[in-house]
Amino acid sequence: MRDFKGYIFDLDDTLYCEHDYVKSGFWVVANELANYRLDVDVSEIHQMLIAEWKRNGRGRVFDEVCRRLDIDMDISHLVRLYRGHVPNISLYDDAKKLIFYLKEKGKKLGIITDGNSTMQWAKVKALNLEKLFDYIIVTGDLGEEHWKPSETPYRKMVKHLHLDFADCVYIGDNPNKDFITARKLGMGTVRIVRDVGDHMQTRLSREYEADYLIYSLTELIT
């Protein structure tokens, strides 16, 4: 892969493990539920949340666990606790190595991440990314119509970095939305496939996939 002037990253499951964020948020919710069921240990409730998530996804985890615990609670309250918690997460080792390598090389670094603004900025701050990256875009700040694969965040990022699209590469994990627009705009694209993640097994048509497939970000250190 050729050298680029700008390296733009996805966040979730690219720079850190999103499952760690979920488990971190579940601890906050488990503690809240344990206040209503003093006879059930908080770690047991945490495991119930994780088990339900693994069985049926995130959609109704809190509803189902509250039902099983016979707790009548406003689920939106639990959602707010989850979204507003201070995450206990850390960068992948290969992400640290690549970020510091690129900074030593004088490369411009950016992040484009989709999602709820409160949640995504909490992750950014927990990972201390603001001091490492030149520009960070949380598309939740722009409105859902500007989430990937919208061109808006890519155009905004490249303009802020004062680079051309051809000078930049986008690195992410989700072929459903990470690469199709970046490729159309003339950016390089790299897909990271990790051992843990929601999109490990996803394989789509050529237009949705990245130019390069890697299994560690250190593969980009040349």
Side-chain angles (χ1 to χ4, degrees):
M1 188 180 79
R2 70 180 182 84
D3 198 25
F4 291 91
K5 296 179 181 178
Y7 288 74
I8 304 164
F9 295 83
D10 171 53
L11 178 58
D12 300 323
D13 285 334
T14 298
L15 296 180
Y16 84 101
C17 180
E18 188 178 10
H19 286 193
D20 289 346
Y21 174 84
V22 176
K23 293 173 183 176
S24 171
F26 282 175
W27 273 116
V28 177
V29 173
N31 273 285
E32 182 72 1
L33 296 179
N35 290 330
Y36 289 80
R37 283 295 304 266
L38 300 178
D39 58 323
V40 184
D41 187 77
V42 64
S43 60
E44 182 179 344
I45 298 175
H46 187 249
Q47 287 303 312
M48 290 174 67
L49 292 164
I50 291 173
E52 177 60 26
W53 163 47
K54 290 184 175 180
R55 276 195 302 269
N56 297 311
R58 300 182 209 178
R60 294 184 58 81
V61 171
F62 302 156
D63 305 74
E64 180 59 23
V65 171
C66 282
R67 185 191 66 78
R68 290 170 58 193
L69 291 171
D70 195 25
I71 294 175
D72 183 14
M73 181 181 289
D74 181 3
I75 299 302
S76 64
H77 169 64
L78 298 178
V79 172
R80 285 192 296 271
L81 285 176
Y82 176 86
R83 289 179 174 176
H85 88 282
V86 177
N88 181 17
I89 54 177
S90 58
L91 287 171
Y92 280 121
D93 286 340
D94 62 335
K96 290 181 189 175
K97 290 176 183 177
L98 178 60
I99 289 167
F100 286 110
Y101 169 80
L102 294 173
K103 287 184 72 67
E104 287 177 1
K105 292 289 186 179
K107 304 299 184 181
K108 296 285 186 69
L109 301 181
I111 292 174
I112 298 174
T113 177
D114 282 345
N116 174 276
S117 293
T118 299
M119 294 168 62
Q120 298 309 103
W121 281 114
K123 297 170 186 176
V124 167
K125 293 180 185 304
L127 296 169
N128 294 310
L129 297 178
E130 288 171 291
K131 65 181 181 182
L132 297 174
F133 284 79
D134 297 287
Y135 196 46
I136 297 172
I137 295 175
V138 173
T139 58
D141 296 338
L142 306 176
E144 206 162 327
E145 69 273 19
H146 298 298
W147 290 24
K148 296 178 289 184
S150 165
E151 292 186 4
T152 301
Y154 298 94
R155 291 189 179 278
K156 188 176 177 69
M157 175 62 70
V158 169
K159 181 179 180 180
H160 187 90
L161 296 180
H162 303 290
L163 296 172
D164 295 326
F165 288 113
D167 294 327
C168 297
V169 59
Y170 191 77
I171 303 158
D173 72 301
N174 184 356
N176 293 293
K177 61 180 181 177
D178 280 343
F179 313 119
I180 184 169
T181 300
R183 292 185 69 214
K184 285 179 180 177
L185 292 172
M187 300 170 67
T189 52
V190 175
R191 179 181 178 185
I192 175 76
V193 177
R194 298 194 177 277
D195 294 335
V196 176
D198 292 340
H199 308 290
M200 301 154 41
Q201 306 302 325
T202 304
R203 296 293 184 273
L204 301 179
S205 61
R206 182 71 189 92
E207 64 178 329
Y208 284 92
E209 291 287 353
D211 300 317
Y212 299 96
L213 181 70
I214 60 174
Y215 295 90
S216 170
L217 292 178
T218 56
E219 294 178 47
L220 300 180
I221 297 176
T222 56

